[in-house]
């Protein structure tokens, strides 16, 4: 009798066994399902890299080398990241029509899917900035005033205080930032294309970048007002000073000549 009572199951034993079975089933799912998803993601990424490598061989390898190592006609692409590819190819700057001091933007020749594949291949050459998400560059609820301060401190020397662009040395120039997609502005700050310095998150935080984008969106909108009146294209004090010298001083000289001529004529009569 003692043996039989020793072997008698506890009333909660069935519940414990059921919970263990469910835990084991969940453990098996956790162990295998995410692995399948990760494997699918890895396969998709590998396919994107393979397709990007083909596109790269046709459109980019002539200047940047077959392995992205760079040549005398183009820099190395190791470590530039996917954001640089998305910017350069998405804005049509790459592939470049011809070498020069400045590569202008133009209509791009790739679809966004092809750009993503190119970016995946270049990203595989070395770690670099990733393509930002919409949440990162969306200027909604950003601080416009703070963005203006940051822009005037870090960007206005080249791009002008409203982003109209400006001339640099040796045939280079800072392009206009009017009507530029916020994503491309964010990417440009991330990797610093051509003559522009880079502004990683350690220099300008993600919020700082959003504030700058919001400022540019505000000052270049149709609703923006110029408190100074005639803005002369918003090109800044140099162009406005030149306008003052040529037309203002020229007008004064013309008036002086007219007065002198009238005075001489009056004396003769």
């Amino acid at each position: 009798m003692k043996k039989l009572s020793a072997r008698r199951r506890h009333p909660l034993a069935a519940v414990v066994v059921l919970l263990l079975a469910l835990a084991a089933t969940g453990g098996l799912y956790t162990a295998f399902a995410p692995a399948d998803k990760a494997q699918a993601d890895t396969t998709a990424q590998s396919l994107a890299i393979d397709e990007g490598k083909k596109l790269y061989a046709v459109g980019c390898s002539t200047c940047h080398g077959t392995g992205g190592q760079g040549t005398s006609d183009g820099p190395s692409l190791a470590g530039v990241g996917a954001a640089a590819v998305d910017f350069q190819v998405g804005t049509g700057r790459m592939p470049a029509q011809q070498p020069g001091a400045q590569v202008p933007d133009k209509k791009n020749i790739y679809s966004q899917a092809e750009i993503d594949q190119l970016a995946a291949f270049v990203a595989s050459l070395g770690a670099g900035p990733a393509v930002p998400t919409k949440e990162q560059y969306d200027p909604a609820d950003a601080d416009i005033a703070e963005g203006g301060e940051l822009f005037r401190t870090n960007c206005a020397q080249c791009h002008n205080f409203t982003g109209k662009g400006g001339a640099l040395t040796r045939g280079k120039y800072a392009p206009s930032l009017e009507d530029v997609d916020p994503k491309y502005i964010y990417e440009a700050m991330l990797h610093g294309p051509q003559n522009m310095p880079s502004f990683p998150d350690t220099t300008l935080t993600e919020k700082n970048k959003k504030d700058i984008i919001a400022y540019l969106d505000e000052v270049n909108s149709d609703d923006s007002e110029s408190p100074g009146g005639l803005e002369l294209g918003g090109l800044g004090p140099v162009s406005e000073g030149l306008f003052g010298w040529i037309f203002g001083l020229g007008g004064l000289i013309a008036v002086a000549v007219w007065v002198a001529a009238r005075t001489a004529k009056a004396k003769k009569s």
Side-chain angles (χ1 to χ4, degrees):
M1 293 295 292
K2 290 181 179 179
K3 290 183 179 179
L4 288 174
S5 28
R7 292 180 181 178
R8 185 179 300 167
R9 294 181 179 178
H10 193 278
L12 296 177
V15 177
V16 172
V17 171
L18 179 60
L19 291 174
L20 289 173
L22 291 173
T25 306
L28 288 173
Y29 177 81
T30 304
F32 289 101
D36 292 341
K37 184 178 185 301
Q39 185 176 2
D41 291 343
T42 302
T43 302
Q45 184 69 7
S46 298
L47 289 173
I49 291 172
D50 290 340
E51 291 301 316
K53 187 175 182 179
K54 296 175 185 176
L55 293 168
Y56 175 90
V58 175
C60 315
S61 60
T62 303
C63 295
H64 295 286
T66 54
Q69 73 277 13
T71 68
S72 59
D73 295 323
S76 169
L77 297 181
V80 301
V85 178
D86 190 72
F87 172 85
Q88 297 283 8
V89 181
T91 60
R93 288 176 167 85
M94 293 292 159
Q97 290 180 329
Q98 60 186 17
Q102 186 87 16
V103 179
D105 60 329
K106 61 183 185 302
K107 184 178 179 180
N108 72 62
I109 60 174
Y110 293 98
S111 67
Q112 187 58 53
E114 291 172 327
I115 294 173
D116 293 341
Q117 292 167 350
L118 274 170
F121 170 70
V122 172
S124 71
L125 302 177
V131 176
T133 61
K134 186 175 181 180
E135 289 73 19
Q136 289 178 284
Y137 58 80
D138 185 3
D141 301 325
D143 190 334
I144 297 173
E146 179 65 18
E149 290 288 340
L150 291 167
F151 186 85
R152 287 187 291 272
T153 301
N154 298 281
C155 317
Q157 296 88 342
C158 297
H159 288 284
N160 188 271
F161 68 99
T162 57
K164 303 291 185 182
L168 301 176
T169 60
R170 301 179 183 274
K172 305 170 186 176
Y173 61 88
S176 170
L177 300 179
E178 289 184 287
D179 301 323
V180 178
D181 191 309
K183 179 179 73 167
Y184 295 140
I185 297 177
Y186 194 102
E187 289 173 340
M189 287 188 278
L190 276 180
H191 77 278
Q194 300 188 57
N195 307 297
M196 179 176 169
S198 61
F199 295 93
D201 289 343
T202 52
T203 305
L204 287 177
T205 65
E206 182 177 311
K207 179 183 180 303
N208 292 154
K209 294 182 178 71
K210 290 179 70 171
D211 291 343
I212 289 174
I213 291 171
Y215 167 73
L216 289 171
D217 183 63
E218 175 67 21
V219 296
N220 290 315
S221 69
D222 294 334
D223 298 329
S224 178
E225 297 181 0
S226 176
L230 184 62
E231 64 175 11
L232 302 177
L235 296 177
V238 175
S239 62
E240 293 169 6
L242 183 63
F243 180 89
W245 273 99
I246 293 176
F247 293 96
L249 188 59
L252 289 175
I253 293 173
V255 169
V257 170
W258 180 81
V259 170
R262 296 282 296 182
T263 303
K265 185 176 180 182
K267 286 181 179 181
K268 289 180 181 180
S269 60

